[in-house]
Amino acid sequence: VMEGQQFSLHTICGFGSLLSLTSCLKSFPSLTGFRYGKVLGHRRVFGLVSISCLRQGYSNLEKHELAACAAVPHPDSHLLVTLFEIDDKALAVFHEREHRQRIFTVQYLDYTPKDATRSTTTATPGESGGGEALICGAFASDDEYVRDKCGGDATEFEARVRPYYKDPLWGQSHILPVRQYLSICLRAAASISSEFVDNFLDHSYLNDNTTTIRRFLYEHQPNFLVLTVTPSPSPPPPSTPTPQHTTSTQQQQLTTATPLYDLSEAERQRVKTWRETHPDPTRPPDNYVL
C-alpha cells in the first residue's frame, strides 16, 4: 500500500503489445506512472498460441502464424520494457487479459533509453533505481496452465480454448509470430527508441529458442522488417478504394491483417540494397534511423 493511499498499486512490465501506450490505456485506462525499464535475465519467446488473435482474425493457421510472446528466464538476455501502475480492480482485468500466461514477479531497473524519440522523463540515459513488477511468462505445457490458472478444471480450459483452437497452446516448436501482433510490438518499440527496437529483435526468439526475431525476419520477411521499424504512413482505412496494383485479397490483408503497405518500387529497391549490403542479420543496417 502506497503512503497516503487506501488501496494497493501494482507495477506491471510491458514487453510485447504493452510496449504501446495506446494498448496499455485501452486495457487499463486508469494506469499511472508510465515509464521505461529493464529486466535482466529474461528474453521473449513466441511460444503461446494467441487465442485473442484467433478470435480477432489476425492469425494465419495455414502459415502457422499463431504465436504471441511470453517472458522466459535466460541468463544472457535482458528485456527493455514499459512500466506502469494499476489498482486492485485493474489487476483483475490484467489477470483475465493474460489468463493463458503465467504471472510472476521480477526485479526491474528504471531505464532511460539513450535515443528516446518520446521520452517520459528528463533523466540521464541509463539505469537507475528499480523495484518489483508483475510480468507474463510461459507455461511448460497446457497441463501446467490448467493446474495453475483453471484450478485443474479441464472443463474451463475447454470453454476458453476449444471454440477457437484444437491443438496445444504451449509447447509447439513450429508456430510463428502473428504478423499483426508482431507489427504492433515493433512499431511500439520504434516509437520509443531504436534501442528498444534492437532489444526486441535480438532478445526475442521463435519457440525453437534459437532463432532471433531479427534473423527470422531477415531470412523470411525482410520487407516486413525494414518497413515496420522505420517511419511510414498509417494504413488506409478499410473503406479506402483498392489501389490498382493490389488485388482485393491483398487489400484486405493490408487493412485488416497487417498495417503495412504493398511495396512501391522505391521500397523494393531499398530492401534489395539493404539485403545486399548487410548479409549479417545480427547487425542492424547502417540506415537504421528512427
Side-chain angles (χ1 to χ4, degrees):
V1 179
M2 297 184 65
E3 185 177 353
Q5 300 286 347
Q6 299 302 312
F7 52 87
S8 297
L9 288 179
H10 311 272
T11 303
I12 305 298
C13 272
F15 59 92
S17 61
L18 291 183
L19 289 172
S20 163
L21 178 58
T22 300
S23 293
C24 292
L25 289 171
K26 182 178 179 181
S27 295
F28 314 108
S30 62
L31 70 81
T32 58
F34 187 86
R35 60 198 186 280
Y36 307 129
K38 177 186 284 189
V39 175
L40 302 177
H42 290 77
R43 59 171 48 168
R44 301 171 191 84
V45 175
F46 281 81
L48 169 65
V49 174
S50 174
I51 295 299
S52 61
C53 287
L54 283 165
R55 281 201 307 258
Q56 296 175 74
Y58 297 152
S59 304
N60 188 319
L61 285 165
E62 182 179 349
K63 295 183 177 180
H64 307 294
E65 293 176 357
L66 301 166
C69 62
V72 175
H74 193 279
D76 298 326
S77 292
H78 70 275
L79 300 175
L80 295 185
V81 302
T82 57
L83 299 162
F84 55 91
E85 277 71 46
I86 58 176
D87 60 21
D88 290 335
K89 183 177 180 180
L91 181 65
V93 174
F94 173 72
H95 278 284
E96 181 59 31
R97 183 186 191 273
E98 311 295 352
H99 193 272
R100 286 163 289 279
Q101 303 215 40
R102 183 173 66 90
I103 309 301
F104 63 102
T105 301
V106 292
Q107 298 288 328
Y108 71 83
L109 297 168
D110 289 304
Y111 188 76
T112 302
K114 299 179 180 65
D115 59 345
T117 57
R118 187 193 61 195
S119 181
T120 59
T121 177
T122 57
T124 302
E127 301 169 359
S128 56
E132 291 187 343
L134 297 175
I135 199 167
C136 299
F139 284 112
S141 65
D142 287 5
D143 288 343
E144 188 178 56
Y145 162 56
V146 172
R147 288 195 304 270
D148 190 75
K149 302 299 279 289
C150 300
D153 184 0
T155 303
E156 181 180 352
F157 175 84
E158 294 288 328
R160 286 179 174 273
V161 174
R162 291 305 176 228
Y164 312 101
Y165 193 67
K166 63 180 179 63
D167 293 323
L169 295 181
W170 292 100
Q172 297 197 69
S173 61
H174 68 282
I175 59 175
L176 302 174
V178 175
R179 193 172 306 194
Q180 172 124 341
Y181 172 81
L182 182 57
S183 177
I184 289 171
C185 295
L186 283 170
R187 287 182 184 275
S191 75
I192 300 170
S193 77
S194 61
E195 189 178 4
F196 265 67
V197 174
D198 285 336
N199 179 261
F200 198 99
L201 292 173
D202 297 327
H203 293 266
S204 303
Y205 289 76
L206 300 185
N207 207 29
D208 61 7
N209 283 294
T210 300
T211 307
T212 66
I213 291 302
R214 186 190 297 277
R215 178 167 292 278
F216 164 68
L217 291 177
Y218 176 87
E219 293 178 350
H220 300 285
Q221 298 178 11
N223 302 348
F224 182 94
L225 172 61
V226 173
L227 298 182
T228 301
V229 300
T230 55
S232 61
S234 300
S239 58
T240 300
T242 302
Q244 294 299 311
H245 64 283
T246 59
T247 66
S248 59
T249 299
Q250 288 173 323
Q251 181 65 13
Q252 182 181 14
Q253 291 173 343
L254 296 176
T255 56
T256 64
T258 175
L260 297 173
Y261 283 108
D262 190 23
L263 291 179
S264 68
E265 184 56 38
E267 289 167 332
R268 291 180 192 279
Q269 184 59 43
R270 179 182 172 197
V271 170
K272 180 175 182 290
T273 300
W274 180 72
R275 294 199 70 172
E276 289 175 347
T277 58
H278 297 87
D280 182 2
T282 64
R283 295 180 58 82
D286 293 338
N287 63 350
Y288 202 57
V289 178
L290 301 175

